[in-house]
Amino acid sequence: MTIRNTILFSLKHLLCSSIMMMAAIASANAQVKKDSIIIPKEEDFYQIQTVLIPEGIQLEVGGMAFLPNDKLAVCTRRGEVWIISNPYMKDGRPSQYQLFAQGLHEPLGVAYYKGDLYVAQRPQLTRLRDKNNDGVADEYKTVYSFEITGNYHEYAYGPVFDKEGNMFVTLNLGWFRDVKGGYMESRVKWRGWMLKISPEGKMTPFAAGLRSPAALTIDKDDHVFYTENQGEWVGSGHMTEVRKGDFLGQPTSLAWSDLPGSSVKLKVEDIPDSGKPEFEVAKQIAGLKTPSVWIPHAILGVSTSGMLIAGQGQMGPFEGQFFVGDLGQSLINRVYLEKIKGVYQGAVFPFRKGFSSGVLRLCWGSDGSMFVGMTARGWGSSGGESFGLQRLVWNGKMPFEIKSIHAQPDGFELEFTQPVDKKTAREAAAYHVRSFTYKYHRQYGSPIINEADCPLKAISISPDGMKVRLVLDSTREGYIHEITAAGVRSTGHQGLLHNMGYYTLNRVPDGPKLTITAENRVKIVKKPTVKKVPVKSSSSKASSSPSAINRIPNYDEVKPLLIQYTCLSCHDPVKRHVGPPYAEVAKRRYSIDKLKRLIHNPEPGNWPDYATPMPPMPDIPASDLQKIAVWIHSLDK
């Protein structure tokens, strides 16, 4: 072979090897891309934009309503109503603020109706009218007066209007204290009730049993819904449909059920303090209405607030679903409802977190964006700011989500926003279902009780990959069902943006059950038997010794717990906030056991310089409570 031929042969061999190597690299990259999982973030789809507030305006939002000219009316807890021009900050121009009304008593709701603004302030429902069109209210007219004792907790919410112009408002219970501690009570008429008020100002007591009903809304069919907050007789926050004559669970308001016009006939003494699940008690007490959808406390929030119903294209493919705010954890959840046997029920999902203050009010802009009004004074929130106004904007990209959960006679059907990868969706390990509920009792809140797993029996996927039916060994009527689909991927290899939902199963639907076949049956893999090795007593003693139990965690270890249980909404490690700083608590030199008791059952009388009493926290598990108490105790240096 000549030198020339040798060189040509070497070049051809090199070129062939390079092509093969490039093909192998491309194939490997394709495999990596195929096997990789795209983990989405909320901000990939929903951006939070801050609406600037001029210096000097304390915009502690109590209510919001858009006007026909696309200006935003905002009432504040400071007793003012502001009209905001260009709240969208179009073309980079700042928003303009005009003071419309002032001198109100902490209004916590505003609505626009036929040219006027209506606000629910603590002692009355008021109509505000600009008679000379100068942009300032000239007439403050009382539509209906509410009785008050002067207690700080006697808030009023609303109004919302039905198709006939009737107004609905909800009245908060008062919070009182005696030597036994704090408690909610209805000391004047109709506190703890929903009221219906005609255009002429005639009031009808509509429903009772409300505790802290921070929001209400009416759908296109004139069905009324409200949100409730955890407390006495309320194991967790929830969202519930309300009909005339309903009793929603908090007995204190029944003190007025014998008055003329009352649509509720139950008495305080009719309600047993048994600690049984509310659904079980409701079987014995006619008129007691259980929640449409429970919002699990400390899992999806701690203080349920404003509601908003989605129209077409607003925030994605969620038309007809509800968005529900949470003040303490500065977030918004999403709720899907369905009606089974005439009863509303459904699922709640996480949606968007990360707002700057406590989310109290939600309002749709004309462009489909969501305005989020916030406040934290007196209540506290994880967002950190005292107040704020932000705007949530969907960028049009489709998130991979569980769109809805439908109850079935033998389990649940999950509907997705994108087709699922059938291989991952067929794996039993991709799912986990458990059920639980809460106690219905006089005490504040409730721990999770009666928790149980719901084993999978079969998995069926629709031909288009948009639905997955889960057949379970059992479901429990009246219970919350936590449905997790962490292992499911989309056909585009995306993980779910939020992989769980909580379905409140008030009624099990009738209908055919899924036929279980060899193809859809879940294969039970037997776990290998592991021979137990006896543990030496010395090791056992060491693991449970006082030094092990009282190991001092650092702040990074305990901070997730303080966030989960919203402790940081009211307390800071070193700064004065709604409540005393943890360093100041530590200086009292309480024992660790005493700290645990005070967290479960606070004694606000110990801190007379702080106006807002701390609520009991009985739902914090013992292990987490121990860690928090040990950390606080360690700050006394």
Side-chain angles (χ1 to χ4, degrees):
M1 183 180 289
T2 64
I3 294 176
R4 179 175 178 276
N5 288 339
T6 301
I7 293 173
L8 287 174
F9 176 80
S10 298
L11 288 173
K12 288 179 181 179
H13 181 73
L14 179 61
L15 180 60
C16 183
S17 299
S18 298
I19 292 172
M20 292 175 65
M21 184 177 293
M22 290 172 65
I25 292 172
S27 177
N29 287 338
Q31 186 63 36
V32 169
K33 185 176 181 180
K34 180 179 178 182
D35 293 341
S36 63
I37 300 169
I38 301 170
I39 306 300
K41 299 178 181 178
E42 292 174 344
E43 55 266 31
D44 296 337
F45 309 94
Y46 304 103
Q47 282 84 47
I48 297 175
Q49 301 175 2
T50 297
V51 180
L52 299 179
I53 301 170
E55 187 175 352
I57 297 178
Q58 304 292 310
L59 202 75
E60 298 178 339
V61 179
M64 299 188 297
F66 266 97
L67 309 181
N69 58 10
D70 217 18
K71 295 181 180 181
L72 180 62
V74 177
C75 68
T76 77
R77 296 174 61 203
R78 301 272 176 169
E80 301 165 334
V81 177
W82 293 88
I83 306 298
I84 305 176
S85 303
N86 188 32
Y88 309 92
M89 298 182 295
K90 293 178 180 178
D91 303 321
R93 293 180 291 110
S95 303
Q96 301 295 319
Y97 287 68
Q98 168 70 42
L99 184 61
F100 181 76
Q102 57 186 320
L104 304 173
H105 193 167
E106 196 166 15
L108 290 175
V110 61
Y112 175 84
Y113 188 74
K114 292 186 176 181
D116 296 317
L117 287 175
Y118 292 77
V119 295
Q121 50 176 325
R122 199 175 292 187
Q124 64 176 243
L125 176 61
T126 310
R127 188 190 71 192
L128 304 174
R129 176 170 288 178
D130 178 8
K131 300 180 74 172
N132 58 4
N133 296 316
D134 65 348
V136 179
D138 309 297
E139 182 182 78
Y140 295 56
K141 181 178 180 180
T142 300
V143 178
Y144 187 81
S145 293
F146 313 131
E147 292 194 20
I148 57 173
T149 66
N151 183 269
Y152 84 99
H153 211 265
E154 289 175 338
Y155 309 115
Y157 310 99
V160 295
F161 285 81
D162 67 11
K163 294 176 181 177
E164 297 177 350
N166 297 301
M167 295 159 277
F168 290 81
V169 297
T170 54
L171 302 183
N172 218 96
L173 295 174
W175 174 271
F176 302 93
R177 295 198 60 81
D178 59 21
V179 293
K180 296 180 180 179
Y183 56 94
M184 303 287 276
E185 195 165 88
S186 179
R187 291 192 176 179
V188 290
K189 284 190 295 187
W190 312 126
R191 285 285 155 186
W193 287 69
M194 178 180 288
L195 308 181
K196 180 180 179 180
I197 301 169
S198 73
E200 298 75 33
K202 181 182 178 181
M203 188 277 289
T204 301
F206 192 75
L210 283 61
R211 179 188 174 274
S212 190
L216 63 164
T217 193
I218 297 180
D219 70 8
K220 59 182 178 60
D221 298 316
D222 267 358
H223 295 148
V224 184
F225 297 85
Y226 93 107
T227 56
E228 185 60 275
N229 281 272
Q230 186 207 45
E232 304 91 337
W233 299 96
V234 186
S236 183
H238 59 78
M239 186 186 100
T240 303
E241 185 222 9
V242 186
R243 300 181 186 180
K244 186 176 181 180
D246 282 343
F247 167 62
L248 283 308
Q250 223 290 1
T252 305
S253 59
L254 295 177
W256 317 109
S257 63
D258 59 350
L259 293 182
S262 171
S263 57
V264 180
K265 301 307 177 186
L266 289 170
K267 302 288 187 286
V268 174
E269 56 269 21
D270 294 332
I271 310 305
D273 184 14
S274 64
K276 294 180 180 179
E278 188 173 4
F279 187 82
E280 296 298 327
V281 177
K283 294 177 181 179
Q284 310 301 322
I285 306 295
L288 171 57
K289 187 162 195 176
T290 59
S292 298
V293 176
W294 287 100
I295 301 175
H297 190 81
I299 298 175
L300 292 181
V302 293
S303 48
T304 316
S305 59
M307 288 187 292
L308 204 55
I309 303 174
Q312 186 175 7
Q314 292 175 319
M315 295 297 143
F318 306 121
E319 183 177 359
Q321 297 193 21
F322 290 71
F323 294 100
V324 180
D326 187 85
L327 192 146
Q329 292 192 346
S330 303
L331 55 78
I332 297 173
N333 292 310
R334 174 172 60 87
V335 174
Y336 164 77
L337 281 180
E338 61 182 359
K339 188 180 283 188
I340 303 296
K341 299 179 180 179
V343 177
Y344 277 105
Q345 58 189 43
V348 56
F349 308 88
F351 182 69
R352 187 62 164 97
K353 58 182 182 296
F355 294 94
S356 63
S357 186
V359 176
L360 183 63
R361 295 290 174 250
L362 308 174
C363 188
W364 289 122
S366 60
D367 63 351
S369 62
M370 183 190 298
F371 282 79
V372 182
M374 298 169 287
T375 178
R377 175 173 56 89
W379 295 319
S381 72
S382 60
E385 298 294 331
S386 297
F387 57 86
L389 179 61
Q390 293 184 310
R391 180 169 164 249
L392 188 64
V393 180
W394 177 43
N395 61 16
K397 296 179 182 179
M398 184 63 68
F400 181 43
E401 290 271 44
I402 305 173
K403 179 181 177 181
S404 57
I405 298 176
H406 307 266
Q408 300 294 318
D410 50 6
F412 297 96
E413 181 179 73
L414 280 57
E415 183 178 3
F416 296 85
T417 58
Q418 296 180 30
V420 300
D421 167 54
K422 294 184 179 181
K423 181 180 178 182
T424 58
R426 282 197 182 99
E427 294 292 332
Y431 309 94
H432 180 258
V433 183
R434 66 166 180 149
S435 61
F436 60 88
T437 189
Y438 298 103
K439 292 182 178 181
Y440 178 56
H441 59 178
R442 189 185 303 271
Q443 293 182 34
Y444 195 104
S446 167
I448 285 174
I449 63 169
N450 300 350
E451 181 181 0
D453 283 342
C454 306
L456 269 172
K457 293 176 65 178
I459 301 170
S460 177
I461 305 172
S462 64
D464 62 1
M466 298 297 287
K467 297 179 180 179
V468 176
R469 185 162 174 175
L470 304 179
V471 178
L472 303 175
D473 182 64
S474 64
T475 56
R476 293 193 285 179
E477 199 169 63
Y479 277 65
I480 304 158
H481 290 71
E482 178 192 74
I483 303 168
T484 305
V488 175
R489 304 288 177 253
S490 72
T491 52
H493 307 288
Q494 289 188 58
L496 283 158
L497 181 59
H498 303 102
N499 60 32
M500 65 174 59
Y502 292 82
Y503 191 102
T504 301
L505 188 65
N506 289 323
R507 299 290 186 272
V508 176
D510 297 325
K513 296 183 178 181
L514 184 72
T515 301
I516 298 179
T517 66
E519 182 181 358
N520 63 34
R521 180 182 286 109
V522 168
K523 296 179 177 62
I524 301 174
V525 179
K526 291 185 178 181
K527 295 181 180 180
T529 303
V530 179
K531 186 176 181 180
K532 293 184 178 180
V533 179
V535 180
K536 294 182 179 180
S537 58
S538 59
S539 300
S540 178
K541 289 179 181 178
S543 64
S544 60
S545 65
S547 60
I549 294 174
N550 293 335
R551 185 189 70 81
I552 299 174
N554 59 41
Y555 183 62
D556 289 338
E557 291 178 86
V558 81
K559 185 177 180 181
L561 298 178
L562 300 178
I563 293 173
Q564 179 180 350
Y565 302 116
T566 65
C567 307
L568 296 182
S569 299
C570 296
H571 301 275
D572 182 87
V574 295
K575 297 178 182 178
R576 182 185 176 101
H577 197 24
V578 178
Y582 288 119
E584 188 177 341
V585 176
K587 289 179 180 178
R588 296 287 181 95
R589 297 192 174 181
Y590 298 126
S591 68
I592 292 173
D593 286 341
K594 177 70 171 178
L595 284 169
K596 291 192 292 185
R597 289 196 299 273
L598 288 172
I599 293 171
H600 269 171
N601 293 290
E603 297 176 5
N606 294 338
W607 303 94
D609 294 337
Y610 293 86
T612 304
M614 175 180 165
M617 304 289 284
D619 54 324
I620 300 180
S623 58
D624 292 347
L625 185 66
Q626 176 76 18
K627 187 176 291 187
I628 293 170
V630 169
W631 174 75
I632 295 173
H633 189 266
S634 72
L635 299 180
D636 180 29
K637 297 178 180 178

